[in-house]
Amino acid sequence: MQLLDELPMLYSATIILFILVEAKYGAQGKWFPNLLAAWLATTTMIFSTTSGNIQFFTFQTTYTILQFAMIAFLRLLHVQQRSLKGPNPPISRLIRRALGFALFAVSIWLIDLKACEYVNGLTGKSVLRWNLQLHAWWHVFSACALYHATMLVVYYHYDVKTNVGYKSNRSQSGKNAAPGVVVGGQEQELQPYIDHWVGIFPVIRLRQSKQV
């Protein structure tokens, strides 16, 4: 059951890393997805054949590295796009929400890991009379953080493709061109923007670019 918890987290983080690298540096060729696939196969084998501290620290180290890589690439893309297009308050709010959920989730996880007997409501040392189920809440808030981070990845994936000069540099080969629609016989680019489903959940949508 532990693998059903850890492996999907690892797979999701690796997919996000793949998208961010190609958003920043363009298509890397077959070697890059093949390398990531081999990486996932190796880590899956390690997690499936070990237990205890080896499995715990291997997963924590691997996942932490992937998370810091994701943060680094998101930071690079944010600075790059901000320099090209100026401040983007909706994106800044999305970043703050992602970081807020992540920090809160990690805080809950650390409390559950290091001070479980004092807050689980089950032992004589517990200062609470009920179990707060902190590990379950860690999953809830880490999922919220990952969802917001995924929305940032989706946004930058499309936003990079609508940079001034980006399409002209790649349009000749037809690779990595921005998505478009045909209006009045001419193809027009679509740009990403942040919307909110039921006024709460951020989603990324595409709309017709003002630049033709």
Side-chain angles (χ1 to χ4, degrees):
M1 292 300 292
Q2 185 72 12
L3 292 179
L4 295 179
D5 172 14
E6 295 177 346
L7 288 179
M9 296 171 65
L10 184 66
Y11 297 159
S12 300
T14 304
I15 292 171
I16 288 176
L17 178 63
F18 170 76
I19 297 172
L20 287 172
V21 170
E22 297 219 333
K24 175 62 178 174
Y25 299 110
Q28 299 298 297
K30 293 183 178 180
W31 69 269
F32 187 50
N34 289 340
L35 177 63
L36 292 180
W39 157 263
L40 287 179
T42 302
T43 52
T44 299
M45 182 178 297
I46 293 174
F47 296 155
S48 302
T49 57
T50 59
S51 59
N53 287 335
I54 295 178
Q55 184 189 61
F56 176 81
F57 287 110
T58 301
F59 170 75
Q60 293 301 327
T61 301
T62 304
Y63 189 68
T64 300
I65 291 173
L66 288 171
Q67 291 298 296
F68 277 110
M70 179 183 70
I71 293 171
F73 275 103
L74 283 173
R75 173 65 179 170
L76 288 173
L77 289 169
H78 180 67
V79 172
Q80 170 185 294
Q81 299 306 90
R82 185 184 179 94
S83 65
L84 289 169
K85 301 183 178 181
N88 190 329
I91 283 295
S92 297
R93 287 194 294 270
L94 193 60
I95 292 173
R96 289 194 293 269
R97 289 178 66 174
L99 289 175
F101 279 122
L103 291 174
F104 190 61
V106 170
S107 298
I108 290 175
W109 178 76
L110 288 174
I111 293 173
D112 182 63
L113 180 67
K114 299 297 184 180
C116 181
E117 61 181 335
Y118 301 107
V119 295
N120 62 12
L122 300 175
T123 67
K125 295 181 179 180
S126 177
V127 298
L128 302 177
R129 296 182 179 180
W130 60 89
N131 191 345
L132 296 178
Q133 299 294 340
L134 292 181
H135 192 76
W137 285 111
W138 139 254
H139 283 287
V140 171
F141 286 106
S142 62
C144 289
L146 183 59
Y147 174 79
H148 283 73
T150 302
M151 291 301 100
L152 287 169
V153 172
V154 173
Y155 179 87
Y156 285 126
H157 169 74
Y158 286 112
D159 195 43
V160 165
K161 296 180 184 298
T162 58
N163 282 344
V164 176
Y166 182 89
K167 186 175 181 181
S168 62
N169 289 338
R170 301 188 180 258
S171 58
Q172 293 181 354
S173 64
K175 296 180 179 179
N176 295 327
V181 293
V182 176
V183 179
Q186 294 182 341
E187 186 179 15
Q188 298 187 6
E189 293 180 357
L190 298 178
Q191 287 187 323
Y193 71 99
I194 299 176
D195 195 7
H196 288 83
W197 183 61
V198 299
I200 300 175
F201 304 101
V203 294
I204 305 302
R205 303 189 190 278
L206 297 175
R207 62 187 171 194
Q208 188 175 314
S209 172
K210 296 180 180 179
Q211 293 182 345
V212 180

